[in-house]
Amino acid sequence: MMHAAVLHAFGQAPRFEEFPEPTPGEGEVLVRVTAAALTPLARWVASDRDFARGREVPFICGTEGVGELADGSRVSFGVVRAPYGAMAEYAVAPQRLCTPIPDEVDDVTAASMMNPAVSSWNALAFGAKLVPGETLLVLGATGVAGQVAIQVARLLGAGRVVAAGRDERVLARLAENGADAVIPLGQSDVDLAEAFRRAAGEEGYQVVLDYLWGRPAQVLLDALPRRFMVSREVRYLQLGNSAGSTISLHANALRRTGVTLGAGSPPPITQLQELYAQVMTHAANGNLRVDRDPVALADVESAWQRVVSGRRTVVIP
Ligand SMILES: NC(=O)c1ccc[n+]([C@@H]2O[C@H](COP(=O)([O-])OP(=O)(O)OC[C@H]3O[C@@H](n4cnc5c(N)ncnc54)[C@H](OP(=O)(O)O)[C@@H]3O)[C@@H](O)[C@H]2O)c1
């Protein structure tokens, strides 16, 4: 038996309990877990049977982590086989989803970086095909993913980065991460629309990374300048829905603004591994960072119920 964060009912917090140790199957390896991030994806899978990708309770929470293989090497891993998960002393992971971690990067850094950095790098470089010098708007810049996206955009040569978010204390710190302008979301729709227009400058936004959807996306899409002859594209990547799952989309918000909607689909595994290696190099050099809160696995139930803006909880078995 081992200790693990075990979910007994969808929508509730997992409990610190004993659970049978996993045995690796074909193509899998056994990982001694050293750190596992509490990501929105991990919460999502535990929130509702429809999102659980076929899992039935009880199962172990956590979709990705960091740990040690039998030969002593350190890897980041993704978990796919229920009922096992990353928030446990041991996990099983497909060999192909294990990526080496350089010695210079500690376990908590590697665990906190994997989801936000790989996804934003993929979205900016391959989804939006950001060209150096272009202007980027990040909707949801106060979240961990948004904060990392700003840093990645700087590494990829973005010209201007505009950061929009809800928590004003976190927003005030974002200039340190490379934001050129910040937009608080807690203003009236009219004022918010004006703030989006003002921050866009003469050239407008070429790329939007949207982690929120809901009201902020609706106000933005209604605020973009409409022209009969559209000469510029706004590459809009829809990545998350922290502010709402639906919006009302006027036809002209696409036809007259040059907005092209995309979703930044996950890259093939080989590309993902190359991306991860790049991310780790930048983490080792201090070019990418995430504010994180390590918590003991034994405290997972209370940590699960605590959400601190802009910080990533990392569970340590
Ligand atoms: N598609 C992908 O590849 C991908 C990758 C990473 C994340 N995501 C998704 O992106 C979203 C954010 O992820 P994260 O890692 O940044 O999560 P996080 O660190 O937990 O941050 C959540 C963010 O949502 C904001 N938020 C929540 N409710 C809001 C509301 N009603 N109005 C405005 N803002 C609101 C929070 O704002 P405040 O903190 O300012 O209150 C914060 O910026 C999640 O939906 C996640 O699933 C997608």
Side-chain angles (χ1 to χ4, degrees), residues 18-314:
E18 290 204 319
F19 202 86
E21 275 181 32
T23 309
E26 172 107 25
E28 290 181 334
V29 287
L30 183 70
V31 188
R32 187 181 68 77
V33 184
T34 51
L38 176 39
T39 60
L41 179 60
R43 288 183 186 282
W44 201 36
V45 168
S47 68
D48 192 307
R49 181 172 277 104
D50 289 346
F51 301 138
R53 302 170 176 190
R55 289 170 175 83
E56 288 296 336
V57 289
F59 66 80
I60 299 175
C61 293
T63 54
E64 60 191 58
V66 163
E68 218 176 82
L69 300 183
D71 64 4
S73 58
R74 294 164 65 234
V75 293
S76 282
F77 65 92
V79 181
V80 290
R81 183 156 65 87
Y84 302 107
M87 294 179 185
E89 290 177 278
Y90 291 94
V92 276
Q95 175 90 60
R96 69 193 164 83
L97 294 186
C98 292
T99 322
I101 300 172
D103 291 344
E104 301 77 24
V105 181
D106 64 81
D107 294 342
V108 174
T109 302
S112 62
M113 201 66 81
M114 185 165 161
N115 170 291
V118 172
S119 61
S120 56
W121 200 299
N122 176 57
L124 284 169
F126 303 105
K129 297 186 173 53
L130 180 85
V131 174
E134 288 189 321
T135 297
L136 165 72
L137 169 64
V138 180
L139 274 191
T142 48
V144 171
Q147 291 186 44
V148 173
I150 295 170
Q151 299 167 53
V152 169
R154 283 298 178 215
L155 291 171
L156 293 173
R160 276 185 86 232
V161 179
V162 178
R166 187 172 62 169
D167 188 302
E168 297 206 14
R169 279 168 310 167
V170 178
L171 210 51
R173 290 204 311 263
L174 292 184
E176 291 167 27
N177 282 0
D180 296 293
V182 295
I183 301 178
L185 295 174
Q187 22 186 344
S188 71
D189 288 1
V190 172
D191 290 347
L192 182 57
E194 180 50 31
F196 281 136
R197 279 192 286 265
R198 218 176 22 246
E202 293 281 298
E203 298 296 317
Y205 305 111
Q206 283 80 57
V207 176
V208 176
L209 285 197
D210 176 10
Y211 294 98
L212 299 179
W213 209 232
R215 174 192 168 250
Q218 173 99 52
V219 174
L220 171 67
L221 286 163
D222 286 342
L224 291 175
R226 295 180 186 200
R227 300 184 175 91
F228 188 65
M229 298 293 284
V230 177
S231 55
R232 292 183 191 136
E233 193 186 15
V234 182
R235 281 111 64 201
Y236 191 115
L237 285 201
Q238 208 307 300
L239 298 170
N241 52 291
S242 296
S245 307
T246 57
I247 64 167
S248 155
L249 187 62
H250 196 287
N252 280 347
L254 297 180
R255 274 214 310 279
R256 300 271 179 260
T257 56
V259 165
T260 52
L261 276 175
S265 308
I269 282 292
T270 48
Q271 191 175 313
L272 202 66
Q273 286 177 333
E274 280 166 33
L275 257 179
Y276 188 71
Q278 255 174 315
V279 162
M280 285 297 110
T281 304
H282 285 294
N285 296 340
N287 292 329
L288 288 176
R289 65 179 183 78
V290 168
D291 292 330
R292 62 278 165 97
D293 295 317
V295 301
L297 178 60
D299 297 328
V300 67
E301 192 170 348
S302 53
W304 194 274
Q305 292 166 65
R306 214 170 34 238
V307 177
V308 185
S309 181
R311 302 183 70 84
R312 177 77 0 115
T313 298
V314 179

